[in-house]
Amino acid sequence: TKKQEWEARSSIRAEELLTLADTIKLLNDDDALELFKATLPSPSLLQTKVSSRAVRKQALGALKAARHSDPRMDLIMLALSGRSKNFDKVLKMIDDMVSLLGREQADDDSKKVYCEGALDKTEDEKKALEQQIEDHEKSMADAKEGIATLTEELAALAAGIKALDKAVVEATETRQAENAEYKETMAANK
C-alpha cells in the first residue's frame, strides 16, 4: 500500500534522475556543441530584455481584444494606457477613505449601542407609566363605584327621612285630634 507506492515513486524518481544525467551529459558533449553552432547561427535561445512599455502595450491589446463589461477592467486599461502618470494619489485617497469609513463604522457601532440602551430604558419607563395609568384608572373606577353606592345610600336615607317626617306629621295630627277629643270629653263630663 503506502510502502509499495513509495517504492514505485522512488524507482520512477531514480529513473528520471538517470535520464536527466544522460541528457546533461549528451548536451555537454563536444559533438552537441558543434551541432548547435551549425544549426543556430545566432544565440537565439537567450532571453532578451522587454521594456515595461512593451509589456503594457501587450496587456492593453489583450484587454481591448477581450470583450468585457467590468468597470474594474476599464480602470486597469486606463492605468495601462497612461504614459508617465500613476495612481499613487488616487490609491492614497482610496486608502484614506477606507480608513475614514472604518472610523465612522466604529463610531456608528458605539452610537448604536448607546441608542439601543436608551431605547430599552425608554421602553421600561413607558411600561412603568402605562402600569401607573392602569392603576389610576382602576382607582378611579373603584372611586366612581363608591360614589354611586353612596349616592344610592343617600337617596335611600333621604327617602327614609321623608317617610319618617310624614309619619311624625301623621302621628302629631292623630295626637292633636285625640287631645281635642279628650278635652271635649273632659269638658262634657264636668
Side-chain angles (χ1 to χ4, degrees):
T1 54
K2 284 193 177 193
K3 192 174 183 182
Q4 292 171 347
E5 289 176 12
W6 175 252
E7 288 174 4
R9 269 191 278 167
S10 296
S11 67
I12 291 172
R13 178 77 174 149
E15 289 175 16
E16 288 174 350
L17 288 174
L18 267 171
T19 307
L20 281 173
D22 289 341
T23 305
I24 291 172
K25 186 177 174 186
L26 180 71
L27 289 174
N28 285 337
D29 191 49
D30 290 336
D31 294 333
L33 180 61
E34 285 182 29
L35 180 64
F36 278 135
K37 284 181 183 178
T39 55
L40 300 173
S42 67
S44 63
L45 292 178
L46 295 177
Q47 182 176 357
T48 59
K49 183 177 179 184
V50 178
S51 69
S52 62
R53 177 180 281 183
V55 171
R56 266 198 257 151
K57 211 175 201 183
Q58 185 181 6
L60 186 59
L63 284 174
K64 283 182 180 178
R67 300 277 188 242
H68 69 287
S69 62
D70 191 355
R72 295 177 295 182
M73 291 299 158
D74 291 337
L75 183 64
I76 291 171
M77 285 174 50
L78 182 65
L80 288 173
S81 65
R83 299 285 186 267
S84 62
K85 306 289 188 246
N86 60 19
F87 283 91
D88 290 343
K89 288 182 181 180
V90 174
L91 292 175
K92 184 179 181 330
M93 289 171 54
I94 290 172
D95 290 341
D96 292 344
M97 190 183 306
V98 167
S99 66
L100 175 67
L101 288 174
R103 287 192 304 269
E104 287 178 353
Q105 184 64 44
D107 291 344
D108 289 347
D109 291 343
S110 66
K111 287 178 184 176
K112 181 182 177 190
V113 169
Y114 168 77
C115 289
E116 286 175 347
L119 282 173
D120 288 343
K121 181 181 176 186
T122 304
E123 286 177 1
D124 292 343
E125 290 174 356
K126 179 184 172 188
K127 286 179 183 176
L129 289 174
E130 287 174 347
Q131 185 63 41
Q132 285 180 351
I133 289 171
E134 213 174 283
D135 292 344
H136 289 309
E137 286 175 348
K138 286 180 184 176
S139 298
M140 286 173 46
D142 291 344
K144 284 181 182 177
E145 277 185 35
I147 289 171
T149 303
L150 290 174
T151 303
E152 289 174 4
E153 289 176 0
L154 284 174
L157 288 174
I161 290 172
K162 281 184 184 178
L164 186 61
D165 284 346
K166 188 176 178 184
V168 167
V169 167
E170 287 176 0
T172 302
E173 287 175 356
T174 305
R175 269 184 268 132
Q176 285 176 353
E178 287 175 357
N179 186 18
E181 192 179 309
Y182 172 72
K183 284 183 184 178
E184 272 182 27
T185 311
M186 289 305 262
N189 284 338
K190 260 192 198 192

